[in-house]
Amino acid sequence: QSVLTQPPSVSGAPGQRVTISCTGSSSNIGAGYDVHWYQQLPGTAPKVLIYGNSNRPSGVPDRFSGSKSGTSASLAITGLQAEDEGDYYCQSYDSSLSGDWVFGGGTKLTVL
Amino acid sequence: QVQLQESGPGLVKPSETLSLTCTVSGYSISSGYYWGWIRQPPGEGLEWIGSIYHSGSTYYNPSLKSRVTISVDTSMNQFSLKLRSVTAADSAVYYCARVGTNYYFDYWGLGTPVTVSS
């Protein structure tokens, strides 16, 4: 049971827009800690996609965007491409006994 | 460019100690930042194991705290993970990573698979 809750899977056709939610609580996202998003393509290490709720590292296309509100955050992907297929994880910081750095359970994105 | 490389045995016997080292290049650990270990069991999600500050302060996942030790060797520009009394449930790909500002993992190693089996 992950501290941050994500849907197990989402899917969309090429060119469409999909969103992935990340729900936390008052000890992590709701406490004001930033949310970060990682992309893990098959057989590779995770790569940061969004940091600090809505910031993209250099090299990440602007098709990827992040937002945060209250105890939740979202990752939006527009203009879906086949190479976007993989797993996506949210991550934040938690001030309770759940641990310090916490991850969501991950969401598998399938491009139809 | 910051690069991290995990190393260590790929096979560990049950009840023994898993030991991994992360060698950092392109940045001096002693200059700052937290450094962390994350694992991913086969077919599962990411689990934070623990983090260490360059000064040696450590932070562990409460679920693993009783079995984990993370240490840093600034002279070798490395940090290490020891996980005691392992079982099959500890079989996973183990990643080392740097913790950037805002407490996110900005640089990752490629990961090293570890299997716990007799």
Side-chain angles (χ1 to χ4, degrees), chain B residues 6-26:
Chain B
E6 305 88 351
S7 60
L11 181 64
V12 182
K13 289 182 168 54
S15 79
E16 295 191 345
T17 297
L18 179 161
S19 296
L20 297 175
T21 296
C22 182
T23 300
V24 179
S25 58

Side-chain angles (χ1 to χ4, degrees), chain A residues 3-4 6 22-25 27-38 50 52-53 68 70-73 89-95 98-104, chain B residues 48 99 102-105:
Chain A
V3 173
L4 305 178
Q6 299 180 234
C22 175
T23 302
S25 67
S27 64
N28 41 68
I29 299 175
Y33 294 112
D34 287 340
V35 178
H36 321 289
W37 291 91
Y38 302 87
I50 298 286
N53 304 317
K68 171 189 161 186
T71 59
S72 296
Y89 296 90
C90 61
Q91 177 252 311
S92 186
Y93 191 86
D94 192 286
S95 58
S98 300
D100 298 294
W101 283 264
V102 290
F103 286 96
Chain B
W48 171 69
V99 183
N102 284 33
Y103 296 105
Y104 71 101
F105 300 96

Side-chain angles (χ1 to χ4, degrees), chain B residues 20-91:
Chain B
L20 297 175
T21 296
C22 182
T23 300
V24 179
S25 58
Y27 187 85
S28 174
I29 288 180
S30 60
S31 295
Y33 289 107
Y34 289 91
W35 303 84
W37 288 96
I38 301 104
R39 70 180 182 178
Q40 185 172 35
E44 297 185 25
L46 302 171
E47 179 181 34
W48 171 69
I49 299 171
S51 298
I52 188 165
Y53 196 47
H54 67 97
S55 60
S57 300
T58 51
Y59 305 84
Y60 299 131
N61 186 322
S63 68
L64 298 169
K65 187 173 185 176
S66 64
R67 299 193 291 131
V68 173
T69 300
I70 296 176
S71 58
V72 64
D73 184 343
T74 54
S75 67
M76 297 291 289
N77 219 35
Q78 296 174 333
F79 61 103
S80 299
L81 168 71
K82 290 190 185 302
L83 181 63
R84 296 175 291 278
S85 304
V86 297
T87 68
D90 295 309
S91 296

Side-chain angles (χ1 to χ4, degrees), chain A residues 63-112:
Chain A
R63 302 187 295 107
F64 296 91
S65 63
S67 63
K68 171 189 161 186
S69 179
T71 59
S72 296
S74 289
L75 171 71
I77 309 173
T78 59
L80 208 55
Q81 300 180 4
E83 55 262 38
D84 297 333
E85 188 162 289
D87 297 317
Y88 293 79
Y89 296 90
C90 61
Q91 177 252 311
S92 186
Y93 191 86
D94 192 286
S95 58
S96 75
L97 295 177
S98 300
D100 298 294
W101 283 264
V102 290
F103 286 96
T107 298
K108 180 170 181 56
L109 168 63
T110 300
V111 181
L112 302 171

